Amino acid sequence: MVDEINEEGPVIETKARKKGSFVGLQRELGLISGISLIVGTMIGSGIFASPRYVMEHSGSVGLTLIVWSLCGVLAMLGALCYAELGTMIPLCGADYVYMLQAFGPLPAFLYSWTTVIVIQPSQFAIICLTFGAYLIEPIFPGCGDREDLQPVVKLLAALAIGVIMFVNAASVKWAARMQIVFTVCKMVAIIMLIITGLVRLGQGFTASFENSFNNTTKSIGLVGYAFYNGLWAYDGWSNLNYATEELKNPYRNLPLSIMIGIPLVTVCYVLVNIAYFAVLTPAEVMTTSAVAVTLADRLYGVMAWVIPIFVASSTFGAANGSAFSGGRLVFSAAREGHLPKFLAMIHTKRHTPLPAMLFTSIIAWIMLLPNSSSFETLINYFSFAAWVFYGCTVCALLWLRYKKPEMKRPYKVALPIPILVVLASIYLIVAPFYEAPLESFLCLLFILAGIPFYLVFVYFKIVPQSFSDFLARLTFKLQKIFDVAFPEREDQ
Ligand code: ARG
């Protein structure tokens, strides 16, 4: 798949590049874009919407802060493993290509099947829902929990999905620039909250931290859910791996972006949580889904409206980052023939995976429709599926160390780290089974339901003629309407 390697990373379509008329993804992202992609995707809805659930499930302030810190450690360890994989197999598509190399097409197919249909669109939908809720917060205070305003929130979410899709389809540069702008916005919000917290602590408001382990939960399953909500806020730590083909000098920039980005986010998250508790009581944190707004209302007076606006831009940036990587996963799975081929087309002038972007957005829109599509239910489904595959991908790292020790590994992680990450993901998969066996079971069932699809469409290729004709017509139509084409490869 990789034709040659130079210090800029692998060259995939060499002849086409030389011709100058190259249609394909280009290396346009530097270190700053890399860090922004990680930080900008990680900080999104979670730090403003999850604290309630982390507190509720862990029962005490002490355990809440421990959970938030451990989530950061786990994200860091996981990302270091991904840095090894990403520099060893520097192709876009991340987990998908690693699993393909290590375990072959079926597990890779199940990954892309689950991710493309459930994980990515549900992420996109959850974040945009939070966006909608916070955006109308200044107009309808306390609306986050009001049933009657849900249609408005969902409409705003749908609008956000549309705008993000449009920008990502229009230009990689614009998507990356937007990412930088929103990353700055959310850092402002985070820093405001942190300073507020430190000032309050300095003034002696430490009541929440007394007897901080009272009421700690004893249920292993509930701690698992506390982690699910915390880890949602950290999710996105593997995001840059989706864009290694577009990263300048990936061997340096991938690990460096990870090592700068993730500790930065962890410190911020722990400090922001301390700020919440320095202003609000644990009981208040537990009952508000818009904790940052409650804090602002308490302290910022007439300026309280700035917080929901910053939170809205923070979620918008995270949605942009998620869409960016989501589109690239669909693209790379389609390129391997695991999804209809037309999804691997690229805009001839703008070099963006336009059909893939469109596809992700349409499923995200559909996810907004059911009445039950709330923040927490979507997160439980999302996290279970996500950690099944994070675990599998890190197993792929261990397996490749054993099976292909000769492969070049420009960045190599210490062996205990992947082992620890695998153990942590086993815990995260098994623990919630105690609390909600049905949800986890359904999720597992969905993953396995990919097997018959794989056999019919990919392995035996017993696709009805009428369906192939339909796809061929669709491909042709897309090429005409959207000016897209299949990327050129070495053999063309
Ligand atoms: N951590 C983000 C948030 O708090 C969600 C990131 C979704 N994950 C992803 N890979 N894009 O909203």
Side-chain angles (χ1 to χ4, degrees):
M1 246 188 296
V2 178
D3 303 317
E4 65 181 62
I5 307 245
N6 62 25
E7 86 277 1
E8 275 280 282
V11 176
I12 299 166
E13 293 97 353
T14 34
K15 262 188 207 158
R17 271 179 202 273
K18 273 180 216 144
K19 273 195 289 181
S21 61
F22 166 70
V23 178
L25 301 171
Q26 310 222 317
R27 291 191 187 281
E28 293 188 354
L29 309 174
L31 181 64
I32 297 290
S33 303
I35 297 174
S36 316
L37 253 173
I38 293 182
V39 175
T41 312
M42 286 176 75
I43 303 181
S45 56
I47 186 61
F48 308 108
S50 298
R52 167 189 185 165
Y53 302 104
V54 178
M55 177 69 211
E56 200 176 290
H57 292 308
S58 55
S60 70
V61 175
L63 187 60
T64 298
L65 294 179
I66 291 180
V67 168
W68 278 99
S69 316
L70 285 182
C71 287
V73 173
L74 184 55
M76 182 71 201
L77 298 184
L80 288 177
C81 298
Y82 272 63
E84 170 168 334
L85 287 163
T87 48
M88 182 171 137
I89 311 167
L91 296 169
C92 84
D95 311 52
Y96 173 78
V97 269
Y98 314 147
M99 251 180 270
L100 189 66
Q101 285 249 347
F103 303 133
L106 179 61
F109 176 82
L110 290 184
Y111 169 75
S112 52
W113 152 265
T114 314
T115 307
V116 166
I117 299 182
V118 178
I119 299 184
Q120 303 270 18
S122 69
Q123 279 173 358
F124 203 8
I126 298 171
I127 304 171
C128 289
L129 276 174
T130 317
F131 166 81
Y134 270 88
L135 200 65
I136 59 169
E137 186 66 36
I139 311 166
F140 304 105
C143 67
D145 303 312
R146 270 176 55 186
E147 276 301 310
D148 55 327
L149 286 174
Q150 282 314 301
V152 184
V153 173
K154 287 189 176 182
L155 206 70
L156 285 171
L159 216 67
I161 292 173
V163 172
I164 289 165
M165 180 196 69
F166 179 79
V167 173
N168 276 274
S171 152
V172 175
K173 251 201 196 112
W174 272 100
R177 265 190 211 147
M178 196 156 98
Q179 197 62 25
I180 295 176
V181 172
F182 284 117
T183 302
V184 172
C185 263
K186 70 186 64 177
M187 287 318 286
V188 172
I190 296 277
I191 289 167
M192 260 172 86
L193 292 172
I194 292 176
I195 293 177
T196 306
L198 293 178
V199 170
R200 288 282 288 189
L201 284 185
Q203 292 171 337
F205 291 95
T206 52
S208 300
F209 304 101
E210 282 153 22
N211 303 320
S212 52
F213 285 95
N214 274 1
N215 298 327
T216 300
T217 178
K218 302 214 167 37
S219 152
I220 293 206
L222 285 184
V223 178
Y225 275 124
F227 271 104
Y228 270 12
N229 282 279
L231 284 167
W232 163 253
Y234 284 95
D235 203 76
W237 49 263
S238 65
N239 226 31
L240 195 53
N241 282 60
Y242 288 101
T244 35
E245 278 181 35
E246 282 152 281
L247 198 60
K248 293 177 201 157
N249 194 358
Y251 299 149
R252 171 181 169 271
N253 285 341
L254 180 64
L256 208 55
S257 306
I258 287 170
M259 284 177 210
I260 297 173
I262 297 176
L264 187 74
V265 174
T266 309
V267 171
C268 290
Y269 278 7
V270 173
L271 289 178
V272 167
N273 272 284
I274 291 178
Y276 291 148
F277 288 116
V279 179
L280 308 169
T281 65
E284 282 172 325
V285 173
M286 232 188 299
T287 44
T288 163
S289 38
V291 54
V293 173
T294 315
L295 179 150
D297 284 343
R298 188 70 48 85
L299 290 183
Y300 296 165
V302 286
M303 291 308 285
W305 58 272
V306 297
I307 284 288
I309 297 301
F310 274 131
V311 172
S313 32
S314 161
T315 50
F316 199 77
N320 180 48
S322 302
F324 186 90
S325 53
R328 270 138 193 86
L329 173 75
V330 176
F331 165 78
S332 106
R335 188 164 67 173
E336 289 308 319
H338 282 184
L339 281 176
K341 271 276 183 239
F342 70 86
L343 291 172
M345 289 191 292
I346 288 213
H347 195 281
T348 51
K349 293 183 199 74
R350 302 187 170 278
H351 311 289
T352 54
L354 190 145
M357 284 303 312
L358 202 64
F359 180 79
T360 310
S361 308
I362 290 173
I363 302 187
W365 274 325
I366 294 172
M367 290 221 157
L368 291 178
L369 294 177
N371 275 340
S372 59
S373 51
S374 74
F375 183 83
E376 229 214 338
T377 38
L378 283 178
I379 280 198
N380 291 345
Y381 282 113
F382 159 85
S383 302
F384 181 84
W387 281 91
V388 167
F389 288 110
Y390 286 140
C392 288
T393 304
V394 178
C395 283
L397 179 151
L398 293 170
W399 181 246
L400 287 173
R401 284 261 184 116
Y402 168 70
K403 261 297 192 216
K404 298 185 179 164
E406 75 289 348
M407 272 178 93
K408 237 175 102 192
R409 291 172 172 79
Y411 173 82
K412 207 167 170 182
V413 75
L415 195 60
I417 293 183
I419 294 176
L420 219 76
V421 176
V422 171
L423 291 178
S425 34
I426 291 176
Y427 165 74
L428 287 170
I429 297 162
V430 174
F433 252 107
Y434 286 104
E435 292 301 322
L438 188 68
E439 280 174 25
S440 310
F441 180 72
L442 283 179
C443 218
L444 207 60
L445 210 64
F446 181 87
I447 297 173
L448 297 178
I451 296 177
F453 276 86
Y454 174 79
L455 293 176
V456 172
F457 287 102
V458 183
Y459 193 76
F460 292 115
K461 293 198 172 58
I462 21 184
V463 188
Q465 189 56 38
S466 54
F467 189 67
S468 319
D469 290 348
F470 165 74
L471 283 184
R473 276 202 305 276
L474 186 66
T475 307
F476 184 67
K477 278 245 156 61
L478 279 174
Q479 286 178 330
K480 270 182 61 179
I481 300 174
F482 293 111
D483 199 5
V484 288
F486 288 107
E488 296 167 32
R489 298 188 71 129
E490 172 69 350
D491 45 4
Q492 287 174 344

